Amino acid sequence: MQNNQRLIVYPTSRAIRQNVLLQKDTNKLLPFFLTIDDFFKKSFSYSNKKSIDEEQKFIFLKESIKFDEFKKLGISSNFTQFLKQSDYIFRFFNEISSEKVSIDDIKDVDTYEFYNEHLEILKKVKQNYIEILEKNNYIDRVNEVKYQKINLDFLKKFSDIKLYFEGYFTNVEFDKIIEISKNINLIININTNEYNKKSYEIFKNIGIELENDFNYSLDITNKKIIKKQKKENNFSNFEIKGFSSRISQIAYIKSCIVNSINKGVDPSNIALILPDESFATNLRLFDDEGYFNYAMGIDINNSNSYKLLYSLYNYANEKDIKNSQSIEFYAIDINFLNEILSFWNTQINKNSFSVLCNYLIEYEKNKEILKKLKEVIYKLDNLLFSNNTNILFKEVVKILLQKISNITIDDINSGKITVMGLLESRAIKFETVIICDFNESYIPKISLKDKFLSTKVKEFAKLPTVKDRENLQKYYYKRLIENCKNLYVSFVSNDTSTISRFASELFDKRLDDSTYDNNYKHILYKKQKINHFDKQIIEKIDLSKLTWSATSLKTYLQCKRKFYFQYILRLKEHEISLKPKGFELGDIIHKILYEYYELGFDTKERLQALFTKYTNKNPFLTLELEVWKKKIEQFYNFEKQRIQNIQVLQKEMPFNITYQNINIKGVIDRVDKINDTYLVIDYKTSANLKVDSLKNYEKSCDFQLEFYFLALQNIYKTSNIESYYYDLNSTKLLKEVAINEKLDLLNETFAELKTTKVNFEKCEDKSICNFCSYKTLCNR
């Protein structure tokens, strides 16, 4: 009994799903559906040959390039680099094989022999690759035609075939179409416009002439046109707007969705097209309403396994505070971490690879991700250990991280509005289409197939050119526009981004230079008034019972509220920042001078070498330290004269003493002695250093040198002490001339610290608040 079921072929699975949904309410037997890739795979067999997978392809290609001339191609043979760059070669081979063009054909049209040497190398690589394929009984795109045979058992299951053609048939694919049509009735539905002319001109080979702007049904078996219909344009509403940032587009996208639904459009009939599919990550962050489902799936960059590997890789390469805290946050086992670090610069082996992968599998809790993770590990294991691979452990971690970052999981139980890339939209109709990122940087999308040859040579060789690929993209966009009623387009317009050149061809509308961020920003960013705590803070406390440093006393005298936050509540500001804090540079200079004097004053070269040692990887501090490395020469010359008359007694000397029944503490940068006089030295790197004078000391809040004076007096039992700030910027010793007067003032201040209750009020001088970490809390 003959099977009367029809086979329907669509370009994508998404197109199949939409068609099935449209027919779900009809009371009839549904046809059989396939994507065009699966259709070709099932329609032909290959004489018991095995289909090759990506990992095996790479191994064979790596073997194929083992000859001296290959390095002239400009592609690295290093394992890690070649893993990235091998795609250039595969795409080139696939393209010429699919178009039935040999490398000798290309050499014939390369009249000036610009590419002769490279083409000879590629020819040898291809020959080696095919030999290895056939030796191991594999087929790939480069040799499949030699072994293909039509699969009549599969085709005879169907009464006829209808294929919805969107895109471009290569010469090999068209030969397959003709071969299939000889054995079963084959209908092709095709839409024409000015941009897919090259795609439909191939039908001239069977005597079918087509015109622009029609919908056709073609009987390929009988080589005739069944139906020809002029396109109807249902297009009714169009907007295109520019924004100064990519994120601002999301607010506009949400606005377009609401407008469409208010017009009566079903949410499932709205599509958002992403020219750059990575933008879906940003979109998900702002999808509070749950509007979207993602045709491209959801990346796993927030999964346990990815975060573990990402943190591990960064920490092993740079053990800064950010990466250290990441290791701590993700609770990575310290024994495992140490074992991985011991492997880091060694050659990969089965044991070290297993240690990494076993922990990774144990760490991942999501079952769907775990399944795909094991798949990646299995393939990578095969890739690494099926032949002698000379590769470091750290390079394998990088490869594994790269492969895991490409894993996606299906987006289920999400919103009704479909988010998809351009190719996923083929053969699908939506009532409302929203396209974002309509910028030159994303449209047209650049192809890797144009790596080796110029456009002119490709044109002569009858290979698809850059212009052909761009026209095909224009065709896809025009089909989207033709099939919708409402079209909304957004693009980024700023100093680095411009609208795509496609816009002037596809959109019959004058574009303005305005940006519309402010019109929509309220959708993403709701303005909320922060309620600051402005009440009094009064605490029962005896301040004389605290231990005071000169810094804490200065803070208290300048602003009691800041002192309360910092020293009573101990509120800390966020520490992880690329930009250095104000004190970081000074701390490093202090450490350098301490280490220098620890071994004694000697050469300038050793002093400058310490700057190299302490150079922070933060680019801001690297620059500052290089400047100070030059400045310190003047300091060295000045000290070289002083050192003949002084004795350096102490460096970074801590103290903790009691004065007027109050504990005071600190660290003195340096103590020198000249004759019977002790010199307190406090290094200062500030370019705006000010020293109190006898005229203004009464307003001073800084008693640092007084603290140091009292400490030396207590330790050395002498009052023969002089206190100095060492201005490292100008290489001057600045004496504290009002030391006795400030000590009297400090006595009065300490007497006031004997309290029972304190009002921690805000300071009156608001200029102090400019660089305060707590100014937001105080509404300053």
Side-chain angles (χ1 to χ4, degrees):
M1 178 176 166
Q2 189 176 1
N3 192 335
N4 291 320
Q5 190 177 20
R6 166 176 277 185
L7 172 62
I8 307 289
V9 180
Y10 278 105
T12 66
S13 300
R14 178 71 57 167
I16 291 173
R17 284 199 291 274
Q18 188 185 67
N19 193 273
V20 170
L21 287 172
L22 290 173
Q23 298 185 48
K24 67 179 181 179
D25 294 329
T26 59
N27 188 18
K28 64 179 182 181
L29 182 67
L30 289 176
F32 194 86
F33 293 96
L34 280 177
T35 64
I36 193 162
D37 286 341
D38 287 339
F39 171 59
F40 281 135
K41 285 176 185 175
K42 292 178 182 294
S43 297
F44 291 87
S45 58
Y46 295 94
S47 306
N48 297 318
K49 294 283 183 181
K50 299 176 287 185
S51 292
I52 194 166
D53 60 28
E54 291 299 318
E55 281 67 30
Q56 198 63 51
K57 277 175 70 170
F58 175 78
I59 291 171
F60 287 172
L61 187 63
K62 189 79 170 68
E63 195 67 27
S64 305
I65 65 167
K66 289 183 177 178
F67 57 95
D68 291 339
E69 292 88 351
F70 180 77
K71 60 186 176 184
K72 296 179 181 178
L73 207 58
I75 293 178
S76 173
S77 58
N78 170 273
F79 185 94
T80 312
Q81 292 297 318
F82 188 67
L83 186 64
K84 296 177 183 177
Q85 297 176 342
S86 60
D87 207 29
Y88 297 139
I89 299 175
F90 281 128
R91 286 175 182 264
F92 175 70
F93 286 170
N94 289 345
E95 182 175 52
I96 62 175
S97 301
S98 298
E99 297 298 344
K100 300 195 296 186
V101 174
S102 71
I103 291 178
D104 286 335
D105 293 333
I106 300 171
K107 289 171 66 178
D108 289 342
V109 298
D110 181 21
T111 52
Y112 293 101
E113 298 187 348
F114 286 144
Y115 303 100
N116 191 61
E117 186 177 33
H118 284 184
L119 289 171
E120 276 297 326
I121 295 168
L122 288 166
K123 182 179 179 181
K124 187 169 183 180
V125 174
K126 186 183 177 188
Q127 287 171 346
N128 292 347
Y129 180 61
I130 291 174
E131 286 175 10
I132 296 170
L133 282 173
E134 297 189 348
K135 178 182 175 182
N136 292 275
N137 207 33
Y138 280 106
I139 59 155
D140 194 6
R141 294 270 290 278
V142 295
N143 70 334
E144 67 175 13
V145 173
K146 181 179 176 181
Y147 298 102
Q148 75 180 23
K149 182 180 178 183
I150 196 158
N151 185 359
L152 293 177
D153 290 338
F154 169 72
L155 294 175
K156 285 178 181 178
K157 293 178 180 178
F158 309 105
S159 59
D160 62 350
I161 300 170
K162 180 181 280 190
L163 188 153
Y164 288 86
F165 176 55
E166 293 280 345
Y168 172 77
F169 280 135
T170 66
N171 284 321
V172 166
E173 287 172 339
F174 195 71
D175 287 348
K176 290 180 179 180
I177 289 292
I178 299 304
E179 185 71 16
I180 291 167
S181 71
K182 290 176 182 177
N183 294 278
I184 187 170
N185 194 43
L186 175 62
I187 307 296
I188 291 182
N189 283 7
I190 181 172
N191 301 275
T192 63
N193 63 39
E194 66 268 39
Y195 300 122
N196 72 330
K197 192 172 183 181
K198 184 163 184 175
S199 298
Y200 67 72
E201 279 186 339
I202 199 168
F203 293 100
K204 286 182 181 179
N205 296 342
I206 57 172
I208 299 178
E209 296 266 358
L210 304 179
E211 300 176 59
N212 270 348
D213 294 322
F214 284 92
N215 298 325
Y216 287 98
S217 282
L218 310 178
D219 183 343
I220 305 302
T221 302
N222 297 300
K223 301 178 177 58
K224 64 180 182 179
I225 297 172
I226 301 173
K227 186 179 179 182
K228 176 183 178 182
Q229 184 178 1
K230 189 72 177 174
K231 289 181 182 177
E232 294 180 6
N233 192 354
N234 296 320
F235 197 63
S236 60
N237 180 49
F238 172 50
E239 275 185 13
I240 181 167
K241 292 186 175 180
F243 296 85
S244 62
S245 76
R246 293 185 80 189
I247 296 298
S248 295
Q249 294 178 106
I250 298 175
Y252 176 65
I253 290 165
K254 290 188 173 188
S255 173
C256 297
I257 290 168
V258 172
N259 289 342
S260 294
I261 293 172
N262 288 341
K263 289 177 182 177
V265 179
D266 189 311
S268 61
N269 218 345
I270 301 173
L272 172 60
I273 307 300
L274 304 185
D276 172 28
E277 293 184 22
S278 68
F279 191 57
T281 304
N282 301 84
L283 197 64
R284 279 194 289 272
L285 293 175
F286 290 92
D287 187 20
D288 299 325
E289 301 85 357
Y291 282 154
F292 305 110
N293 69 78
Y294 300 89
M296 68 285 293
I298 298 173
D299 64 51
I300 67 161
N301 290 359
N302 288 318
S303 68
N304 289 354
S305 50
Y306 181 84
K307 288 295 185 185
L308 165 69
L309 209 57
Y310 182 79
S311 301
L312 196 65
Y313 184 78
N314 287 336
Y315 178 77
N317 285 316
E318 185 176 347
K319 297 174 183 62
D320 61 11
I321 185 171
K322 178 182 175 183
N323 295 329
S324 298
Q325 290 192 358
S326 182
I327 291 289
E328 186 179 331
F329 180 80
Y330 291 111
I332 297 173
D333 182 77
I334 192 66
N335 294 324
F336 165 74
L337 179 62
N338 290 333
E339 193 169 9
I340 292 301
L341 294 177
S342 71
F343 297 145
W344 198 249
N345 288 303
T346 64
Q347 189 170 327
I348 191 72
N349 56 47
K350 277 279 188 181
N351 175 57
S352 56
F353 187 68
S354 296
V355 169
L356 174 66
C357 296
N358 290 342
Y359 190 85
L360 203 58
I361 289 168
E362 186 181 338
Y363 195 81
E364 182 55 65
K365 304 304 178 188
N366 184 294
K367 290 182 179 178
E368 188 178 353
I369 294 175
L370 195 56
K371 182 180 177 183
K372 296 192 175 186
L373 178 62
K374 287 179 178 178
E375 215 173 283
V376 167
I377 290 171
Y378 172 78
K379 289 180 177 180
L380 188 56
D381 184 286
N382 184 48
L383 177 64
L384 294 171
F385 304 115
S386 59
N387 61 344
N388 295 323
T389 303
N390 184 18
I391 181 170
L392 296 179
F393 182 87
K394 64 181 178 183
E395 292 175 328
V396 173
V397 176
K398 187 175 182 181
I399 294 166
L400 188 55
L401 186 61
Q402 178 188 336
K403 287 189 170 292
I404 290 176
S405 68
N406 292 327
I407 295 175
T408 58
I409 55 175
D410 293 335
D411 182 22
I412 56 174
N413 301 323
S414 292
K416 292 187 176 182
I417 294 155
T418 302
V419 180
M420 60 176 64
L422 179 64
L423 293 180
E424 274 290 310
S425 70
R426 289 173 295 170
I428 307 179
K429 294 182 180 180
F430 292 98
E431 198 167 342
T432 292
V433 170
I434 306 166
I435 308 173
C436 67
D437 279 335
F438 209 88
N439 286 89
E440 189 65 29
S441 47
Y442 305 117
I443 303 172
K445 195 169 186 177
I446 306 301
S447 173
L448 293 177
K449 293 178 182 177
D450 302 308
K451 168 82 173 171
F452 296 112
L453 301 173
S454 70
T455 296
K456 190 58 70 176
V457 169
K458 296 191 84 173
E459 189 178 337
F460 287 147
K462 296 184 179 178
L463 290 169
T465 64
V466 172
K467 186 177 180 182
D468 294 332
R469 297 190 208 290
E470 288 187 1
N471 280 337
L472 194 57
Q473 290 180 59
K474 289 177 191 173
Y475 166 77
Y476 293 141
Y477 280 113
K478 186 154 188 178
R479 287 282 293 140
L480 264 174
I481 295 166
E482 290 170 346
N483 287 331
C484 73
K485 289 184 180 179
N486 308 300
L487 176 67
Y488 301 92
V489 178
S490 66
F491 61 96
V492 178
S493 178
N494 56 34
D495 292 340
T496 58
S497 299
T498 58
I499 192 168
S500 169
R501 59 182 183 273
F502 281 14
S504 58
E505 294 184 55
L506 294 173
F507 308 133
D508 185 19
K509 184 173 182 176
R510 186 187 176 115
L511 304 177
D512 63 39
D513 297 327
S514 305
T515 52
Y516 292 84
D517 301 65
N518 289 335
N519 298 50
Y520 300 94
K521 67 180 182 181
H522 63 280
I523 296 172
L524 294 186
Y525 312 109
K526 294 179 181 178
K527 290 185 177 179
Q528 295 181 343
K529 185 178 179 181
I530 299 174
N531 295 317
H532 297 275
F533 184 80
D534 288 322
K535 296 179 182 178
Q536 287 186 330
I537 301 175
I538 300 174
E539 294 283 333
K540 291 180 179 180
I541 188 170
D542 183 355
L543 295 175
S544 68
K545 300 300 182 186
L546 303 179
T547 298
W548 292 84
S549 66
T551 304
S552 62
L553 182 61
K554 183 178 180 180
T555 301
Y556 175 77
L557 295 175
Q558 285 184 330
C559 179
K560 292 182 175 62
R561 182 65 58 91
K562 180 181 179 180
F563 177 85
Y564 178 76
F565 288 145
Q566 188 169 351
Y567 294 99
I568 304 298
L569 295 185
R570 300 190 181 279
L571 299 180
K572 294 182 180 179
E573 60 177 313
H574 189 57
E575 292 180 351
I576 299 175
S577 172
L578 284 177
K579 190 174 180 180
K581 301 289 189 299
F583 60 80
E584 286 184 55
L585 177 65
D587 281 355
I588 292 175
I589 301 292
H590 278 64
K591 288 175 184 176
I592 288 171
L593 293 178
Y594 169 78
E595 192 168 333
Y596 181 71
Y597 280 99
E598 188 71 4
L599 294 179
F601 188 93
D602 49 30
T603 65
K604 179 170 61 178
E605 288 71 25
R606 186 170 70 85
L607 178 57
Q608 290 182 325
L610 288 170
F611 279 86
T612 304
K613 174 184 175 181
Y614 278 94
T615 294
N616 195 300
K617 291 184 179 180
N618 184 309
F620 295 97
L621 282 182
T622 301
L623 175 61
E624 292 285 352
L625 285 170
E626 283 300 315
V627 171
W628 273 96
K629 190 176 179 180
K630 191 70 179 172
K631 280 184 181 181
I632 214 70
E633 291 182 17
Q634 191 175 349
F635 166 84
Y636 176 83
N637 294 331
F638 184 71
E639 282 289 287
K640 192 174 182 181
Q641 298 296 323
R642 287 188 72 245
I643 206 73
Q644 298 173 15
N645 302 313
I646 65 168
Q647 179 185 2
V648 179
L649 296 181
Q650 299 285 350
K651 302 164 292 293
E652 298 292 325
M653 184 182 80
F655 64 87
N656 195 328
I657 65 171
T658 301
Y659 178 69
Q660 291 194 358
N661 295 320
I662 294 176
N663 289 332
I664 63 173
K665 66 177 182 178
V667 178
I668 303 173
D669 291 341
R670 207 168 100 197
V671 178
D672 291 352
K673 187 179 182 184
I674 181 168
N675 299 324
D676 294 328
T677 304
Y678 293 84
L679 309 181
V680 171
I681 303 291
D682 186 55
Y683 297 129
K684 293 294 183 185
T685 55
S686 172
N688 301 310
L689 179 61
K690 293 180 181 179
V691 181
D692 295 325
S693 67
L694 291 171
K695 292 181 179 179
N696 66 8
Y697 76 89
E698 292 179 342
K699 296 180 180 179
S700 180
C701 297
D702 188 351
F703 294 95
Q704 189 169 27
L705 290 180
E706 284 64 39
F707 271 44
Y708 296 172
F709 179 93
L710 294 170
L712 253 62
Q713 193 177 55
N714 183 278
I715 295 167
Y716 291 108
K717 310 301 180 185
T718 179
S719 295
N720 197 14
I721 300 167
E722 295 178 0
S723 299
Y724 292 91
Y725 288 117
Y726 207 140
D727 184 351
L728 297 176
N729 257 291
S730 57
T731 318
K732 292 179 181 176
L733 281 167
L734 304 175
K735 189 175 182 180
E736 178 76 292
V737 294
I739 187 74
N740 293 321
E741 289 79 5
K742 287 184 70 174
L743 283 170
D744 291 339
L745 188 61
L746 180 62
N747 290 338
E748 294 174 14
T749 303
F750 272 20
E752 293 172 2
L753 292 181
K754 294 170 182 176
T755 59
T756 55
K757 185 167 65 174
V758 179
N759 181 0
F760 292 100
E761 58 193 346
K762 298 178 188 177
C763 60
E764 294 182 3
D765 182 4
K766 292 187 179 180
S767 65
I768 295 172
C769 305
N770 288 338
F771 302 102
C772 178
S773 304
Y774 307 100
K775 64 180 181 180
T776 303
L777 289 175
C778 296
N779 194 21
R780 287 289 177 91

